[in-house]
Amino acid sequence: MEQKVFSIQGMTCTTCSNTLFNGLSRLPGIEHVSVCLLTEKVLLKGRNLNPDKIKLTIENLGFDCNEIKEWNILDGEVTFELIGSELINKSKIQSVLKKKNGISDVEFLEKPNLIKVLYVADAIKAREIAYFLEDATNMKISVYNENSRKGELIEKQHKTMRIWLKEFLGSLIFTIPIFILGIAVTQLVDSDNLEKERTGDSLPACNLAMWFLATPVQFWFGLRFYKGSYKSLKSGIANMDVLIVLGTSSAYIYGAIMNMLYIFDYQSDTNMHYIEASHSFETSSLLISIILLGKYLESRSKHKTTDAITKLANLQISSAVLLENGTEREVDLALLEVGNIVKVYPGSSIPVDGIVIEGDAWVNEAMMTGESSLVNKTKNSNVFGGTIVNTGVILVEIKKLGKDSALAQIIDLVENAQSTKPAIQKFADKISRIFVPCVVLFAIITWIVWFCLVYGENHNAIHMMNKINECKFVFAFKFGISVLIIACPCALGLAVPTVIMVATGVATRYGILIKDGESLENAAKIKTIVFDKTGTLTSGKPKVKEFIMLLADYNEANVRELVASVEANSEHPVAKAICEGIKNVKKCQNFHNIEGEGVTGIVDNKDIYVGNTKLMERFKIQVDGKITKIKENFENKGQTVVFAATNRQILSLIVLEDQDLVRPEAPIVVKELKTLGYAVWMITGDNERCAKRVAEAVGIPICNVLANCYPADKKSKVEELQYQNLYKKRTKSVITTTDVEDSSAKLTNKASYGGVLFVGDGINDSPSLAQADIGIAIGGTDIAIDAASIVLLKNDLKDVLIALDLTSVALRRIKYNFFWTFIYNIIGIPMAAGVIYMKTGVYIDSIMAAATMACSSIAVIFSSLWLNRYKPPKFRN
């Protein structure tokens, strides 16, 4: 099929596009026409297309055109579900849709009431197709997406549970008769009446039935363990599936061999040898059934650990009330676009991230911040999808959709945290890889020892064997099988990930996002807490106090416009403060942001420089003593002074001060951290005087404050603190304006490792957040900060204390899990091997070993779930 694209001149409205569409659709050979009003293009598809004839037709319709030889047309695809009727005239719907401008193909899918539409995105939007389809069919239309996050999460969890339950119940159908027959053999058959139980001249009927029933359990319901062990061994690793396969296969093969000996009429000193061997089928089947039950219970328990993600996913609603051309219409969320206006009524969830353009409402943002108190939203307030309007009606302009929304990013962060492996998990994996071969070796040694004892006619071993009326082979063989079964390291593999799942879910309830599992482990080695100043210890909302004019040729209004025109391109809090209230922002060219110094740009053909002393020095702008003195006077009051300059001259001094100098909770948090034994530091790019004033207000020692630091300097200091012993005396410690720390500040003792936690507002602190053992970004407006490992959504410093406490509690829980897992194996494996059997008569047989192994895994999961009871501590200060 050929394709031609024409550029159209003179097309101004939908009437023009309809005229072109109808006129061109009548031409012979043309199978599809798409008229793109906004881009003023026409796309035609068909056979034997004649460009000259097409061009003539377009001109006859009243438009000028030119053929475009190369042009990329953006194709779209959407699948709709038709809701409301079983009877659908498919051919009629296809015919109607294909006559619509922009729709290139229509296809009904195998699933009932699903229709896939291919369209030209420049010519028509998916929402327009949905409207047209609703009107044409009189049915409700929704966008179908089989891989939607909500459906995928919930269905995946339930699917796993259903699979394990189905496997367990299936194996149970065969295992129960085997168990009953096993009891029958034990009670009714002995060496004297064995001949009566034979089927013909060969195999006893009970043995034959048990063999027949055990085979599907072993090789059908146990197939997944064989596949798992094969893949594991192929990759050079022996996992728990290897132990399961070895244990169950040993029991099954032993029974099968003994039955084969019966078939070939093998004669033995004792027929009981074969009867007892038949119970190996009972052992292998029960083992697989119990393990499958454990897997089902394990998956059911895991489902609870992902409850946080499921609840978050459930907050994602599927539709919104769209305001379009003055009318309201309920529209599927997948059909919305950035810039659309949606209306949210009381009791409804806000469907998207956006900004309020009209109205006043109280919104419950608990899903974002963990706070149950309502937040007032007025014009220009930011709102987040998934939050709930309690009272009031608001109009919201969409700013973010889909994966870019805050809720989607929160879910991604939680999922990422639950899937990452901290070092302690890697350590557990390493132990598992070593543990399995060791267990196999120990089982072999166990077999050798017991076979030597019974066939060597050891008095105690023979006495114990006769006491339970077993033959030599079965008596010796069962100990090795029990060792293989009881040692399966399922609990070891669950010890870490289940805690991470629960801990990250609990954290979201308190407005804390833990982005990776390593944060839980790193919490234990934190010795030092480093705070950024602006936006972290202070409110981060500076306000311009005054402009001090220094050149008579410029008035204040003109300077404000020039400065704001440059700063409008920056995201820094100082830039936002300078721009506040300035309406006439001009075009800025060649904008540059110089980290830690300021910004530059060209406005009205003038080079404008706005920044600190370092920026002036960089561009050789003279700052005389008089200006320096004025600047220092303001800084002595704890205010920040910014230079505005042009043509190598200082235009103005911009004096800023924080609306609230220090966060009200900052002194409490710092005092509590010091009480807990942490060393507290502050690093800032601000001047020394302002830094000292803030440090004194919050209780940070002056010797632990660094001012005038570039972002790179902050990172370097964090790195230095990670390898310093902060509890040793220094010969000297000073604040400097040039280097990170004066070379005279030396340690009197050899440095030792100390973990560092850095708390910043995520604007200029990315290098430090990434360098620190734990980086905490405070504030919920930029939750996708890649550098931070923890994000505090509530913008409350007290959550630093909760994050530290929760990560420490979670790490202790991991260690508890490890402790009980190892204790279980240390006690269980020797007992299964029969170390104390001849003295006490106590050992763990294979059936009990399987049950114990399953219970140990479930116990670890319930231990992890105990974290759901976590409550933040009542801090002393």
Side-chain angles (χ1 to χ4, degrees):
M1 186 180 294
E2 296 181 61
Q3 177 176 296
K4 299 289 182 182
V5 180
F6 290 84
S7 173
I8 309 297
Q9 291 86 46
M11 185 167 55
T12 58
C13 62
T14 53
T15 302
C16 298
S17 61
N18 289 335
T19 300
L20 279 167
F21 177 77
N22 293 327
L24 292 171
S25 298
R26 299 190 188 100
L27 290 178
I30 292 180
E31 298 181 16
H32 170 71
V33 178
S34 291
V35 182
C36 309
L37 178 61
L38 294 178
T39 58
E40 297 184 329
K41 302 286 187 304
V42 171
L43 168 68
L44 301 104
K45 292 181 180 179
R47 304 183 188 282
N48 301 319
L49 299 182
N50 187 328
D52 294 331
K53 191 172 183 179
I54 294 170
K55 186 175 181 180
L56 180 61
T57 302
I58 293 173
E59 290 174 349
N60 290 337
L61 291 171
F63 303 95
D64 294 328
C65 69
N66 294 301
E67 184 180 0
I68 303 175
K69 297 296 183 181
E70 294 184 8
W71 180 260
N72 292 325
I73 298 296
L74 183 62
D75 291 324
E77 178 183 312
V78 62
T79 300
F80 295 106
E81 183 175 7
L82 309 180
I83 303 170
S85 176
E86 297 278 340
L87 301 175
I88 298 175
N89 190 331
K90 295 182 179 181
S91 58
K92 181 180 178 181
I93 293 175
Q94 285 179 316
S95 175
V96 169
L97 282 175
K98 285 183 177 180
K99 292 179 181 179
K100 181 71 175 174
N101 175 37
I103 296 177
S104 54
D105 194 18
V106 179
E107 177 188 357
F108 275 91
L109 304 181
E110 291 182 4
K111 292 185 178 180
N113 297 5
L114 290 186
I115 181 172
K116 182 169 73 173
V117 181
L118 301 179
Y119 62 96
V120 177
D122 287 343
I124 192 170
K125 301 299 182 186
R127 188 167 66 249
E128 296 175 46
I129 300 173
Y131 292 166
F132 183 76
L133 197 54
E134 277 188 350
D135 295 337
T137 62
N138 292 321
M139 298 171 66
K140 183 175 175 58
I141 306 297
S142 68
V143 177
Y144 178 77
N145 181 7
E146 61 182 349
N147 294 318
S148 66
R149 180 182 295 277
K150 186 191 301 184
E152 184 181 7
L153 280 169
I154 298 172
E155 183 58 31
K156 185 178 179 181
Q157 293 165 349
H158 285 288
K159 184 179 179 181
T160 302
M161 289 169 57
R162 287 196 300 268
I163 288 173
W164 286 117
L165 180 60
K166 183 180 177 181
E167 295 281 306
F168 165 66
L169 294 176
S171 68
L172 202 61
I173 292 173
F174 293 89
T175 302
I176 290 175
I178 294 173
F179 184 72
I180 294 172
L181 287 171
I183 295 175
V185 168
T186 302
Q187 297 297 323
L188 302 177
V189 180
D190 57 33
S191 57
D192 296 328
N193 63 11
L194 175 61
E195 295 296 328
K196 300 177 183 178
E197 299 297 326
R198 284 177 177 265
T199 304
D201 294 327
S202 56
L203 195 63
C206 288
N207 291 45
L208 180 62
M210 293 174 75
W211 190 8
F212 176 78
L213 292 168
T215 300
V217 176
Q218 185 69 35
F219 299 108
W220 179 261
F221 297 105
L223 181 62
R224 62 174 61 247
F225 301 120
Y226 283 94
K227 289 181 178 178
S229 61
Y230 171 74
K231 292 176 182 178
S232 174
L233 293 173
K234 189 177 179 181
S235 62
I237 300 171
N239 64 3
M240 62 162 286
D241 289 338
V242 174
L243 293 181
I244 293 172
V245 167
L246 285 174
T248 57
S249 297
S250 298
Y252 177 87
I253 291 171
Y254 172 68
I257 290 173
M258 292 301 102
N259 281 352
M260 291 297 292
L261 291 176
Y262 256 116
I263 291 173
F264 291 104
D265 203 22
Y266 176 77
Q267 298 297 317
S268 174
D269 295 337
T270 169
N271 289 321
M272 198 64 195
H273 182 90
Y274 306 112
I275 296 299
E276 290 296 339
S278 69
H279 291 299
S280 61
F281 293 124
E282 181 185 347
T283 300
S284 65
S285 300
L286 278 172
L287 282 175
I288 290 177
S289 295
I290 291 172
I291 291 168
L292 290 173
L293 173 62
K295 290 290 185 182
Y296 165 67
L297 295 175
E298 181 183 309
S299 65
R300 188 174 178 180
S301 299
K302 281 183 180 179
H303 172 61
K304 294 182 180 180
T305 66
T306 58
D307 187 53
I309 295 180
T310 305
K311 287 180 179 178
L312 286 172
N314 286 334
L315 292 171
Q316 295 179 314
I317 60 176
S318 59
S319 63
V321 177
L322 175 68
L323 283 186
E324 196 172 32
N325 300 324
T327 61
E328 297 179 16
R329 187 162 189 168
E330 187 173 353
V331 176
D332 196 293
L333 211 61
L335 301 176
L336 296 177
E337 299 169 352
V338 172
N340 288 160
I341 308 298
V342 295
K343 190 171 186 177
V344 189
Y345 289 96
S348 301
S349 292
I350 297 174
V352 292
D353 288 10
I355 188 169
V356 177
I357 61 171
E358 186 180 317
D360 187 325
W362 288 90
V363 177
N364 182 347
E365 291 190 337
M367 54 75 59
M368 286 290 296
T369 65
E371 289 287 347
S372 58
S373 56
L374 300 177
V375 181
N376 186 230
K377 299 291 183 180
T378 56
K379 188 174 181 179
N380 296 325
S381 296
N382 290 315
V383 292
F384 303 99
T387 56
I388 301 172
V389 174
N390 190 273
T391 58
V393 179
I394 52 176
L395 301 184
V396 177
E397 181 182 348
I398 299 174
K399 295 297 182 183
K400 293 180 180 179
L401 282 168
K403 64 180 182 180
D404 296 324
S405 69
L407 180 58
Q409 291 181 26
I410 289 173
I411 295 173
D412 284 338
L413 291 179
V414 176
E415 286 183 328
N416 179 65
Q418 295 186 351
S419 62
T420 55
K421 282 189 177 183
I424 196 168
Q425 173 65 58
K426 294 173 184 175
F427 171 71
D429 294 343
K430 188 175 181 180
I431 290 176
S432 294
R433 289 196 294 270
I434 299 171
F435 182 73
V436 175
C438 289
V439 167
V440 174
L441 179 61
F442 187 70
I444 293 171
I445 294 171
T446 301
W447 276 322
I448 292 172
V449 170
W450 279 104
F451 276 116
C452 288
L453 288 173
V454 295
Y455 285 101
E457 299 296 331
N458 178 275
H459 176 73
N460 291 332
I462 297 299
H463 173 71
M464 298 302 293
M465 181 185 73
N466 293 332
K467 188 176 180 180
I468 60 174
N469 198 24
E470 281 187 344
C471 64
K472 291 180 180 180
F473 188 89
V474 172
F475 181 77
F477 186 68
K478 65 183 180 182
F479 292 104
I481 291 179
S482 296
V483 169
L484 289 175
I485 298 303
I486 200 169
C488 287
C490 305
L492 187 63
L494 293 169
V496 177
T498 51
V499 171
I500 292 174
M501 286 180 181
V502 178
T504 50
V506 170
T508 58
R509 297 207 302 259
Y510 295 99
I512 300 169
L513 296 182
I514 301 175
K515 294 172 63 176
D516 56 66
E518 290 186 3
S519 301
L520 302 180
E521 185 176 2
N522 290 339
K525 59 188 178 187
I526 295 300
K527 303 296 182 186
T528 306
I529 314 292
V530 180
F531 287 97
D532 175 50
K533 180 183 76 70
T534 306
T536 305
L537 291 174
T538 63
S539 66
K541 297 179 181 178
K543 184 177 182 180
V544 175
K545 184 180 180 182
E546 61 179 304
F547 269 71
I548 300 174
M549 301 304 302
L550 300 174
L551 287 181
D553 296 340
Y554 291 86
N555 59 47
E556 183 176 331
N558 189 18
V559 171
R560 283 179 179 265
E561 287 180 2
L562 290 173
V563 172
S565 298
V566 180
E567 292 284 20
N569 299 280
S570 173
E571 291 294 321
H572 197 280
V574 168
K576 294 184 180 297
I578 292 173
C579 293
E580 188 174 355
I582 306 296
K583 296 181 180 179
N584 186 21
V585 177
K586 301 177 180 180
K587 184 178 181 180
C588 175
Q589 297 176 324
N590 294 346
F591 172 80
H592 293 288
N593 177 48
I594 302 173
E595 283 194 353
E597 296 184 10
V599 296
T600 68
I602 299 175
V603 181
D604 289 345
N605 296 320
K606 297 183 180 70
D607 291 323
I608 306 297
Y609 308 90
V610 186
N612 56 24
T613 304
K614 294 177 182 178
L615 187 74
M616 301 300 107
E617 292 173 353
R618 177 184 290 271
F619 291 98
K620 296 180 173 55
I621 299 172
Q622 186 65 37
V623 181
D624 60 31
K626 181 181 178 182
I627 295 174
T628 301
K629 188 173 182 180
I630 296 172
K631 173 177 173 289
E632 290 176 351
N633 287 336
F634 284 107
E635 289 179 346
N636 288 333
K637 300 175 185 178
Q639 295 165 339
T640 301
V641 179
V642 175
F643 295 102
T646 187
N647 298 328
R648 309 298 177 192
Q649 291 181 299
I650 305 294
L651 281 174
S652 172
L653 295 181
I654 307 169
V655 182
L656 301 103
E657 62 180 358
D658 282 345
Q659 292 175 340
D660 298 303
L661 180 61
V662 172
R663 290 175 181 267
E665 74 273 18
I668 299 171
V669 172
V670 171
K671 186 176 181 181
E672 183 65 37
L673 288 171
K674 290 162 69 177
T675 303
L676 292 171
Y678 295 104
V680 183
W681 284 69
M682 183 180 78
I683 304 179
T684 178
D686 210 341
N687 64 79
E688 295 177 32
R689 299 172 185 84
C690 189
K692 285 182 179 179
R693 185 179 176 192
V694 171
E696 290 172 353
V698 300
I700 296 176
I702 298 299
C703 62
N704 285 1
V705 178
L706 292 175
N708 295 309
C709 289
Y710 286 92
D713 295 334
K714 294 181 182 181
K715 175 183 178 295
S716 297
K717 185 58 188 178
V718 169
E719 188 174 8
E720 180 185 342
L721 289 172
Q722 286 176 313
Y723 292 93
Q724 284 186 357
N725 185 343
L726 300 175
Y727 303 102
K728 304 298 182 181
K729 294 182 179 179
R730 298 172 181 270
T731 56
K732 188 177 181 182
S733 183
V734 296
I735 302 174
T736 68
T737 58
T738 54
D739 300 318
V740 175
E741 186 173 22
D742 196 333
S743 59
S744 61
K746 297 179 180 178
L747 301 175
T748 58
N749 292 284
K750 187 178 180 180
S752 62
Y753 187 85
V756 174
L757 181 150
F758 186 89
V759 187
D761 61 359
I763 296 175
N764 293 318
D765 301 320
S766 295
S768 302
L769 289 167
Q771 176 62 43
D773 296 276
I774 298 179
I776 295 184
I778 184 168
T781 57
D782 189 15
I783 63 170
I785 302 171
D786 292 333
S789 46
I790 297 176
V791 179
L792 308 182
L793 296 176
K794 287 190 293 187
N795 204 19
D796 188 340
L797 272 181
K798 290 195 292 293
D799 288 343
V800 172
L801 298 172
I802 297 175
L804 275 171
D805 184 69
L806 176 58
T807 52
S808 297
V809 170
L811 182 63
R812 286 200 300 273
R813 182 58 58 178
I814 289 174
K815 291 178 178 178
Y816 290 157
N817 287 352
F818 277 154
F819 173 78
W820 290 114
T821 299
F822 285 123
I823 286 293
Y824 153 80
N825 280 301
I826 289 169
I827 295 173
I829 291 176
M831 288 186 67
V835 171
I836 62 172
Y837 179 61
M838 286 197 289
K839 286 190 176 181
T840 64
V842 175
Y843 92 105
I844 300 176
D845 64 19
S846 55
I847 304 301
M848 184 61 68
T852 307
M853 183 269 293
C855 289
S856 69
S857 300
I858 296 167
V860 165
I861 292 173
F862 280 113
S863 170
S864 301
L865 288 173
W866 190 260
L867 267 177
N868 279 315
R869 299 170 61 88
Y870 173 83
K871 298 293 180 185
K874 295 181 180 179
F875 299 108
R876 290 178 289 276
N877 299 311

